[in-house]
Amino acid sequence: MDNLTIAATERSPAVDFDFAAGRLSLKGESYPEDASAVFGPIFAALEPFLGSAGGREVTFDFDLAYFNSSSAKALMNMFQMLDQAAGAGCRLTVNWFYAPDDDTMKEFGEDFSEDLAHVTFNLVAVE
């Protein structure tokens, strides 16, 4: 499976999915005018990868400084996919990075983690 790398724009996060290494990353800000244009290719790559992940170890780093409501919906859908894959046996770890003084991003991480039954979810404060 080919890796997925998409450079960040002013309104969309950088995407770095190294499928062979099992290392996935979203980084930056996300407030696109058309969330489906941004997240469509991500879901298109993520779905078959997770479907064939089996019992392998996968780490997904979320390092988002800001996201809007349409991105939040896409993130919720992404977390559901991750949780389903983890429930099927994939050893999936999510690292949710936030600035120590950013209570909002920390709370979003806490909220997302509450809906996950099978994923190991780490809140990580970074300077």
Side-chain angles (χ1 to χ4, degrees), residues 68-80:
N68 65 4
S69 58
S70 62
S71 295
K73 182 169 176 40
L75 291 172
M76 287 190 306
N77 292 336
M78 195 175 301
F79 283 125
Q80 288 175 348

Side-chain angles (χ1 to χ4, degrees), residues 26 31 34 37 59 87 99 103 106:
L26 288 179
Y31 54 101
D34 183 0
T59 301
D103 292 337
K106 181 181 178 186

Side-chain angles (χ1 to χ4, degrees), residues 22 53-59 85-86 88-93 118-120:
R56 70 179 294 192
E57 191 169 317
V58 175
T59 301
C90 180
R91 292 174 290 145
L92 221 149
T93 300
H118 307 288
V119 171
T120 300

Side-chain angles (χ1 to χ4, degrees), residues 12-65:
S12 64
V15 178
D16 186 8
F17 288 0
D18 183 340
F19 293 113
R23 193 88 193 177
L24 316 176
S25 170
L26 288 179
K27 184 174 185 173
E29 296 187 352
S30 183
Y31 54 101
E33 290 184 25
D34 183 0
S36 63
V38 170
F39 287 97
I42 295 171
F43 283 111
L46 196 56
E47 189 169 358
F49 170 70
L50 292 174
S52 64
R56 70 179 294 192
E57 191 169 317
V58 175
T59 301
F60 202 139
D61 294 330
F62 289 85
D63 190 357
L64 299 171

Side-chain angles (χ1 to χ4, degrees), residues 69-121:
S69 58
S70 62
S71 295
K73 182 169 176 40
L75 291 172
M76 287 190 306
N77 292 336
M78 195 175 301
F79 283 125
Q80 288 175 348
M81 290 175 65
L82 298 175
D83 202 45
Q84 287 175 353
C90 180
R91 292 174 290 145
L92 221 149
T93 300
V94 168
N95 295 314
W96 181 268
F97 297 98
Y98 66 95
D101 61 346
D102 191 344
D103 292 337
T104 302
M105 289 307 286
K106 181 181 178 186
E107 289 173 12
F108 276 125
E110 291 170 344
D111 289 346
F112 285 133
S113 72
E114 290 175 0
D115 294 330
L116 303 175
H118 307 288
V119 171
T120 300
F121 196 100

